[in-house]
Amino acid sequence: MLLNLGINHKTAPVDIREKVAFGPDIVVAALRGLREQAGAEEAVILSTCNRTEIYASVNDSSVDALSEWISDFHGIDKSQLTPYLYAHTDKDCVTHLMRVASGLDSLVLGEPQILGQVKDAYQVSVSTKSSGKMLDRLFQHSFSVAKQVRTDTAIGSSPVSVAFAAVNLAKQIFADLSEQTALLIGAGETIELAARHLHQQGIKHIIIANRTIEKAAALASEFEGYAIGLQDLPAHLAEADIVIASTASPLPILGKGMVESALKARKHQPIFMVDIAVPRDIETEVGKLDDVYLYTVDDLETVIEENKQSRLLAAEEAAEIIEQQTHNFLEWLKSLDAVSLIQSFRTQAESARDEVLERAIRQVENGKNPQEALQFLAHTLTNRLLHTPCAKMREAGSNGQSELLDAADKLFAIGVDKK
């Protein structure tokens, strides 16, 4: 049985999600515990800021056993965790993983980062030999589905966060960000997201300006940038091709005069500015300057709302893809039963062949005519292979089990004339 057990941003607050997170330093031990203590034959642990999920192939393990293991591993009371847990088995588990990998279950619909996180989680499982035939096939299939969703729908083509929208606009103005410098004013969540998106797009330099320089330095170090205080803005503004501002200041931080001086020092090379703050961080008059492209949060919100609708439509298309691909995976899962049956059937037949062949060889060694020995081999092996099927068909006929006889006719391609 395939089993998924987890919590996410929809079911649990952050203080609960923090308690059951599996960091890189404990995930290997956790995978070992899942197999040795919780009875999972195969396991993958996906743990991000928005979700903690276990995907497992199990025989006897129940949802209760797995949830109890999570509680024990993290040292929290099971009653604290149970109200926030969700579980999916077999078909629902397959569909859920495909939705997660495709970004349909994310806080930001269609966000692309989750696919990389799922791949990383799977690779840890592979490297520790915690995955096997079942989960290997499931995760590889899910990666393929996520790629199809990205290719065949517009789920990821339109930015739906302010930070992402700001960076996307910057890409439209500067086709190649690898030669640009970004100045980010503030050090909150939006600025952090903007820095992350810019870094992923290959921005050349990042400068973080903040009232508390220690906080700016901590953020800048993540993205190979450097930090300055707000009082140093006049000395560094001319370096910036992109400015994104998001502080809690009650008064504007960038005035028209400061920007005019920066433009003069830049010999009027354009500056792209995004003011996400409310109240504004950049004076309105700055937008009237030549060589400045100034966008406010209202400009971005309009774009974002349109894009949310676009993604919702794309999500409907993606759901259809996932439904079909879930069916395809379950068909493969069913075929495993046939593979096992075929292997057992062949083993039986080969055992009978070996036994009869050995008897025929002994006959020849004892002086029997080889032709008679071959006739014995053919006759005995035919009887041995057909005895059980024929007996079962006679039994089915006696019991009026016509459907079983029809199945045998089809299975062995006999082609009985029923007229």
Side-chain angles (χ1 to χ4, degrees):
M1 179 175 75
L2 288 170
L3 175 62
N4 159 243
L5 187 72
I7 63 172
N8 64 17
H9 58 281
K10 298 176 186 174
T11 68
V14 67
D15 60 317
I16 296 295
R17 300 203 303 273
E18 286 173 343
K19 290 178 181 177
V20 294
F22 292 90
D25 54 329
I26 62 171
V27 71
V28 172
L31 285 167
R32 185 168 57 250
L34 272 170
R35 301 195 313 279
E36 295 176 357
Q37 298 156 19
E41 293 184 334
E42 305 174 34
V44 173
I45 295 175
L46 173 63
S47 188
T48 72
C49 58
N50 286 328
R51 71 180 64 245
T52 290
E53 294 187 334
I54 292 171
Y55 294 87
S57 173
V58 297
N59 273 333
D60 302 322
S61 294
S62 66
V63 171
D64 285 342
L66 217 55
S67 61
E68 190 169 328
W69 175 85
I70 296 174
S71 300
D72 290 344
F73 186 89
H74 287 288
I76 64 172
D77 193 275
K78 186 179 175 183
S79 62
Q80 280 187 284
L81 182 61
T82 301
Y84 304 104
L85 283 170
Y86 51 80
H88 303 96
T89 58
D90 294 331
K91 179 183 177 182
D92 292 336
C93 174
V94 175
T95 299
H96 180 72
L97 177 58
M98 291 181 185
R99 287 182 58 83
V100 170
S102 300
L104 298 189
D105 197 57
S106 296
L107 180 61
V108 177
L109 181 65
E111 58 96 1
Q113 286 80 16
I114 186 62
L115 178 57
Q117 292 168 329
V118 175
K119 286 183 176 180
D120 289 344
Y122 170 65
Q123 284 304 320
V124 172
S125 181
V126 170
S127 67
T128 57
K129 296 182 171 55
S130 300
S131 66
K133 184 176 183 179
M134 194 76 72
L135 291 186
D136 285 346
R137 183 65 178 249
L138 174 60
F139 275 79
Q140 292 294 344
H141 194 69
S142 296
F143 300 153
S144 177
V145 171
K147 183 178 179 182
Q148 183 182 355
V149 167
R150 292 273 158 191
T151 303
D152 294 355
T153 76
I155 192 72
S157 62
S158 306
V160 291
S161 72
V162 171
F164 194 11
V167 174
N168 203 57
L169 278 172
K171 284 174 61 182
Q172 293 177 27
I173 292 172
F174 303 102
D176 182 9
L177 297 185
S178 65
E179 294 301 319
Q180 312 304 319
T181 294
L183 170 61
L184 308 182
I185 305 174
E189 183 180 350
T190 301
I191 289 296
E192 181 180 350
L193 278 173
R196 198 171 303 282
H197 291 313
L198 286 166
H199 188 67
Q200 289 168 351
Q201 293 299 323
I203 194 79
K204 188 175 183 179
H205 297 299
I206 292 180
I207 306 168
I208 308 288
N210 194 52
R211 195 174 306 280
T212 308
I213 197 162
E214 291 80 12
K215 193 172 181 181
L219 183 56
S221 65
E222 289 187 43
F223 306 104
E224 302 170 12
Y226 65 91
I228 62 173
L230 293 184
Q231 70 278 7
D232 298 318
L233 276 173
H236 291 272
L237 185 57
E239 300 172 35
D241 305 292
I242 299 164
V243 176
I244 300 176
S246 179
T247 77
S249 173
L251 298 172
I253 291 170
L254 293 184
K256 184 180 178 183
M258 190 192 305
V259 177
E260 282 179 321
S261 297
L263 286 171
K264 185 176 180 181
R266 289 172 58 83
K267 298 181 181 177
H268 293 278
Q269 290 181 35
I271 304 178
F272 168 68
M273 293 185 168
V274 180
D275 188 356
I276 300 172
V278 179
R280 297 182 187 184
D281 282 335
I282 303 174
E283 285 184 351
T284 307
E285 289 76 13
V286 171
K288 298 175 183 178
L289 295 173
D290 291 338
D291 306 312
V292 171
Y293 300 90
L294 176 61
Y295 290 81
T296 67
V297 69
D298 288 344
D299 298 324
L300 297 182
E301 288 291 354
T302 301
V303 173
I304 289 166
E305 191 53 43
E306 292 173 355
N307 291 343
K308 280 182 180 177
Q309 296 305 314
S310 172
R311 286 200 178 194
L312 286 172
L313 292 173
E316 293 178 9
E317 298 174 22
E320 293 178 9
I321 293 172
I322 288 171
E323 182 178 1
Q324 178 59 48
Q325 291 295 347
T326 297
H327 172 77
N328 292 348
F329 181 83
L330 293 176
E331 287 298 304
W332 171 80
L333 209 55
K334 289 177 186 175
S335 76
L336 294 182
D337 293 334
V339 169
S340 177
L341 183 62
I342 291 167
Q343 287 175 340
S344 297
F345 186 53
R346 289 188 68 89
T347 299
Q348 263 188 0
E350 288 166 357
S351 177
R353 175 202 65 196
D354 293 343
E355 182 187 341
V356 177
L357 178 59
E358 185 179 347
R359 290 172 61 187
I361 291 172
R362 280 203 306 269
Q363 288 180 357
V364 174
E365 289 174 345
N366 292 332
K368 193 161 192 173
N369 186 302
Q371 187 173 354
E372 291 180 9
L374 284 173
Q375 288 175 341
F376 165 80
L377 172 66
H379 177 74
T380 306
L381 186 57
T382 300
N383 284 343
R384 184 73 63 86
L385 294 176
L386 295 181
H387 172 73
T388 300
C390 288
K392 292 298 181 182
M393 282 189 275
R394 276 195 294 271
E395 184 182 327
S398 300
N399 295 333
Q401 295 174 297
S402 58
E403 72 284 355
L404 192 56
L405 292 174
D406 289 341
D409 184 21
K410 184 175 182 180
L411 184 63
F412 295 111
I414 299 170
V416 172
D417 187 353
K418 298 182 181 180
K419 292 182 180 179

